[in-house]
Amino acid sequence: MLFRSQVSVGMSEGFGPATPVAQAKRVRLAQFLARARVDLSFAVIDAVVVALGYTAALVLRFMDVQGIAPNWWRGFAVVLPAIIGIHLVANLICCAYGHVWEFASVEEAMRLIIAAIAAGGALIGLVLAAEAAAGSDGRLVPIMVIVLGSGLSL
């Protein structure tokens, strides 16, 4: 019977010999899981910020009238998950995730600005394409809400 102190250094408990390749794989897996947890938390925060930014944009858009018509709220509720998804994908493509900002740089700020512009452009194209495909004059959300919302979600 081997005691814990007698187990050789090259053996992993229950996993057989720990080769350098196996150890490297475990280290990479641990690093990936730690990074994924941080990226997921940033994505959740981004999703909340985007939702609040676009909601504020809708409220600001109709600030001069006595209230927002219910059809705009229904259209906004339909489009909001797509808005959040497009912004998260744009941030992922522009490498906004993957590192923790200790000190923000101009390069990182440019990544966020490019991601916001790309997401806003994609959303405008999506809304216009949906309007053309439906053949109706009504939009799900005003274009100004998308322009203002992409700026507020920075």
Side-chain angles (χ1 to χ4, degrees):
M1 180 162 145
L2 290 174
F3 293 100
R4 197 171 197 78
S5 63
Q6 294 175 335
V7 176
S8 69
V9 176
M11 298 289 287
S12 300
E13 293 181 29
F15 296 110
T19 63
V21 174
Q23 287 177 343
K25 286 182 181 179
R26 287 187 199 132
V27 168
R28 280 194 304 258
L29 177 65
Q31 289 172 342
F32 171 76
L33 292 175
R35 190 173 47 244
R37 187 180 70 202
V38 170
D39 290 348
L40 182 63
S41 64
F42 283 149
V44 168
I45 292 169
D46 280 347
V48 170
V49 168
V50 167
L52 290 174
Y54 277 85
T55 303
L58 184 67
V59 170
L60 288 172
R61 165 63 177 84
F62 291 104
M63 195 176 229
D64 60 340
V65 294
Q66 289 298 80
I68 301 172
N71 62 334
W72 287 115
W73 282 116
R74 281 191 296 273
F76 183 70
V78 169
V79 174
L80 187 60
I83 289 172
I84 292 171
I86 288 173
H87 270 277
L88 293 180
V89 168
N91 285 345
L92 187 64
I93 290 172
C94 292
C95 300
Y97 304 125
H99 60 281
V100 178
W101 287 11
E102 185 173 340
F103 302 103
S105 68
V106 173
E107 179 184 344
E108 291 166 338
M110 289 302 296
R111 287 181 191 165
L112 291 177
I113 292 170
I114 290 169
I117 291 171
L123 286 167
I124 289 172
L126 182 69
V127 167
L128 293 177
E131 178 185 350
S136 65
D137 292 333
R139 289 194 175 113
L140 294 173
V141 290
I143 297 295
M144 191 60 204
V145 169
I146 295 173
V147 172
L148 186 58
S150 65
L152 289 176
S153 65
L154 279 172

